[in-house]
Amino acid sequence: MLKIGCHLSSSKGFEHMGREALKINANTFQFFTRNPRGGSAKSIDPDDAARLMELTRQHGFGPLVAHAPYTLNPCSKDQKTRDFAYMAMADDLARMEYIPGNYYNFHPGSHVGQGTEKGIELIAQMLNDILKPEMQTTVLLETMAGKGSEIGGKFEELAAIRALLRPELQEKVGVCLDTCHVHDGGYDIVHDLDGVLDEFDRFVGLGHLKALHINDSMNPMAAHKDRHAKIGEGHIGTEAMVRIIGHPKLQGLPCILETPQEDLDGYGKEIEMLKKEYKK
Ligand code: FE
Ligand code: FE
Ligand code: ZN
């Protein structure tokens, strides 16, 4: 069964997001763990978290995806920025234990002139320092569009980060594939989806692919831009998106819309359309 949902605001708490998801027939969703551009996080309400877990069990939700703030950059040149990355990820993961068994997705980071190799090392170092095998959350590296000095625009970079992880953390770190980002990054998921998935499998291993961000792209392939479009209104198109969510090798993965919708209703319609096309 298709696991599909969208990014939701966490301002009214955990259970509220579950109820919002149900309103639009979603069976997964994504949320920011804290202000995406700042740093502060609300203190956790364990009862609210427990009510969400109960709701997701009752309604057969797939795994949920928490998204780290954009300002989290473990491979910054600046020590203060790296310190924030450590603090924010450690704190977010501690709070994720109240909603066990879900995903924590982050942008690997930008090396800002230090070089890809150094960036990869710093990212892996943070994961090795913060993650513990007993944590109940799987951390996901998001595939990026490769803008500026972003790490994660190539599958081999994500594989290189995973290769530096302590052996006991190998199963704690997976990948979230963002369709807009990989398309902007130069992977032709429109005309050669099988080829792209084969390449992912060769470098990272499809078993480590845990979630999809399903976004159309405002820019042509390999633009290295990262501007999301509504499904069917960009260079990927509805047909290719339906092939992606329906691909036999991608079944069961939570599919999260991060499209520029104005309101919940917009996401509801996008979900309804994709579900209908998926069944054909
Ligand atoms: Fe993201
Ligand atoms: Fe994304
Ligand atoms: Zn993006």
Side-chain angles (χ1 to χ4, degrees), residues 99 101 130 133 135 137 166 176 187 207 217 245 274:
I99 51 164
I130 291 179
M135 280 178 173
T137 301
R166 291 189 273 134
C176 172
Y187 293 100
S217 174
I245 64 174
L274 285 170

Side-chain angles (χ1 to χ4, degrees), residues 76-200:
S76 168
K77 253 204 288 219
D78 175 29
Q79 180 70 47
K80 258 205 208 128
T81 305
R82 292 204 304 274
D83 288 346
F84 171 76
Y86 271 65
M87 181 284 292
M89 185 175 283
D91 184 57
D92 283 352
L93 287 173
R95 285 180 298 122
M96 288 295 289
E97 292 295 300
Y98 289 93
I99 51 164
N102 292 306
Y103 297 144
Y104 179 74
N105 172 73
F106 78 109
H107 296 180
S110 293
H111 65 70
V112 279
Q114 303 179 96
T116 306
E117 205 178 317
K118 177 76 181 165
I120 286 168
E121 266 173 45
L122 287 168
I123 295 161
Q125 198 186 335
M126 175 184 69
L127 295 171
N128 281 332
D129 287 347
I130 291 179
L131 303 196
K132 298 187 184 81
E134 63 270 23
M135 280 178 173
Q136 299 180 78
T137 301
T138 304
V139 173
L140 306 183
L141 302 156
E142 182 167 352
T143 59
M144 302 309 291
K147 78 175 160 350
S149 66
E150 249 170 24
I151 306 235
K154 296 197 178 81
F155 298 155
E156 42 274 56
E157 293 171 3
L158 301 173
I161 297 169
R162 292 193 76 265
L164 294 175
L165 296 173
R166 291 189 273 134
E168 64 269 33
L169 296 178
Q170 284 295 320
E171 297 310 312
K172 294 273 121 190
V173 180
V175 172
C176 172
L177 186 146
D178 185 310
T179 55
C180 169
H181 297 177
V182 295
H183 189 257
D184 277 27
Y187 293 100
D188 194 354
I189 52 175
V190 177
H191 304 99
D192 187 23
L193 178 59
D194 284 317
V196 173
L197 293 180
D198 282 350
E199 194 170 333
F200 186 95

Side-chain angles (χ1 to χ4, degrees), residues 30 67 105 107 142 178 181 213 215 228 258:
Q30 176 175 271
H67 196 304
N105 172 73
H107 296 180
E142 182 167 352
D178 185 310
H181 297 177
H213 284 167
N215 306 306
H228 301 188
E258 301 173 311

